[in-house]
Amino acid sequence: MDQRQALAAFSALSQETRLHIIRMLVVSGPDGMAAGAIAEKAEVSPSNVSFHLKELERAGLIAQQRESRSIIYTANYERLGGLIRFLMEDCCGGNPEICAPAAKVAACCSPKIEGKFQ
Amino acid sequence: MDQRQALAAFSALSQETRLHIIRMLVVSGPDGMAAGAIAEKAEVSPSNVSFHLKELERAGLIAQQRESRSIIYTANYERLGGLIRFLMEDCCGGNPEICAPAAKVAACCSPKIEGKFQ
DNA sequence: TCCATATTTCAATAATCCTTGAATAATTGA
DNA sequence: TCAATTATTCAAGGATTATTGAAATATGGA
């Protein structure tokens, strides 16, 4: 992930509705959610959710695919991981202080995978 | 770090000049940098840098302290770490896929501290 | 006190972003 | 083909954010 992409991702995540959408899509996993379902759960109008989904897609944080009449949106895990990595490498360069708490969280989130890097 | 703070932090980091400033301040460590030095290095006008510094401070990502005629700005490591943590916990809830790459970076950044959490 | 230095604040303008509702497009089933 | 469903696009507006240069504030030294 380069700086341009990171800036776009930060911008995309700096809006309440969009952060909410990302949360829902991460939880819903590979199945994703239809635009209508997202609008309903986030309690915003169809055209408004469409606007925000476009922003998130422009930032590369989500992807879409049509399924019959619905358009299914899914979170881009790789991009989200890439953003965390950008933040850590960009901030962590010589500063373990910032990364240490993150390492702790990482250990909690993925105890098995963690083992790989010992 | 709560959602309000995270939204403010994402917003603050979504601007090129401000991202540049954060980078410089993280590198400069506890000594920090004077506003004028930041303006010079970032190649922006004094009044413009002042505007962006205020934004970063409002987001809690930096702090200031007067030293004689200069005002010294320093990065808030705790907040930066908190933002990474927010991103991981908020995205990682049940999704090690996203956190695994971050865990790898964390291991690289702070090999010694990492040991604490085994 | 007066001047120079370092920085912020202010006002005006430009640019970007968000929301709303109406119009449009794509798909499916009767 | 026609109607219903699902979603996007568009235009208008209001709101927020960014940039600029001039004026104001704070500090320290002659």
Side-chain angles (χ1 to χ4, degrees):
Chain A
M1 166 167 296
D2 62 23
Q3 167 166 320
R4 209 192 99 271
Q5 295 174 319
L7 285 170
F10 287 137
S11 176
L13 295 178
S14 71
Q15 208 279 342
E16 194 167 9
T17 301
R18 290 195 294 259
L19 187 57
H20 189 181
I21 291 172
I22 282 289
R23 277 212 191 92
M24 294 193 299
L25 292 182
V26 166
V27 170
S28 73
D31 289 349
M33 289 175 75
I38 296 170
E40 199 178 351
K41 260 205 151 184
E43 297 183 314
V44 295
S45 73
S47 80
N48 190 243
V49 91
S50 201
F51 168 79
H52 288 303
L53 288 169
K54 204 167 59 179
E55 286 293 303
L56 287 168
E57 198 178 20
R58 207 168 52 82
L61 295 175
I62 66 175
Q64 65 164 203
Q65 84 204 75
R66 182 175 276 280
E67 191 145 316
S68 176
R69 268 187 287 220
S70 298
I71 295 185
I72 307 295
Y73 285 89
T74 48
N76 183 342
Y77 286 15
E78 200 176 336
R79 260 314 165 81
L80 285 167
L83 184 61
I84 296 173
R85 212 160 53 235
F86 178 90
L87 210 41
M88 293 178 83
E89 288 178 342
D90 219 56
C91 294
C92 219
N95 287 282
E97 280 183 64
I98 297 168
C99 284
K104 187 174 179 176
V105 173
C108 291
C109 281
S110 50
K112 286 179 188 176
I113 294 168
E114 164 95 0
K116 284 188 189 174
F117 311 110
Q118 296 317 300
Chain B
M1 167 167 295
D2 61 23
Q3 167 166 321
R4 207 191 102 269
Q5 295 173 320
L7 285 170
F10 286 137
S11 176
L13 295 177
S14 72
Q15 208 278 343
E16 195 168 9
T17 301
R18 288 195 294 259
L19 188 57
H20 188 181
I21 291 173
I22 282 289
R23 277 211 190 93
M24 293 194 299
L25 291 183
V26 166
V27 169
S28 73
D31 288 350
M33 288 176 77
I38 297 170
E40 198 178 352
K41 259 206 152 181
E43 295 183 317
V44 296
S45 72
S47 80
N48 190 244
V49 93
S50 198
F51 168 80
H52 288 304
L53 288 170
K54 205 166 60 177
E55 287 294 302
L56 287 168
E57 198 178 20
R58 208 169 51 82
L61 295 174
I62 65 175
Q64 64 165 202
Q65 85 204 74
R66 182 175 278 280
E67 192 145 314
S68 176
R69 270 188 286 221
S70 297
I71 294 184
I72 307 295
Y73 286 89
T74 48
N76 183 342
Y77 286 16
E78 199 176 336
R79 258 316 165 79
L80 286 166
L83 183 62
I84 296 172
R85 211 160 55 234
F86 178 91
L87 210 41
M88 293 178 84
E89 288 178 342
D90 220 54
C91 293
C92 218
N95 287 281
E97 279 183 65
I98 297 170
C99 284
K104 188 173 180 177
V105 173
C108 291
C109 282
S110 51
K112 286 180 187 174
I113 293 166
E114 164 97 0
K116 285 190 186 173
F117 310 112
Q118 297 316 299

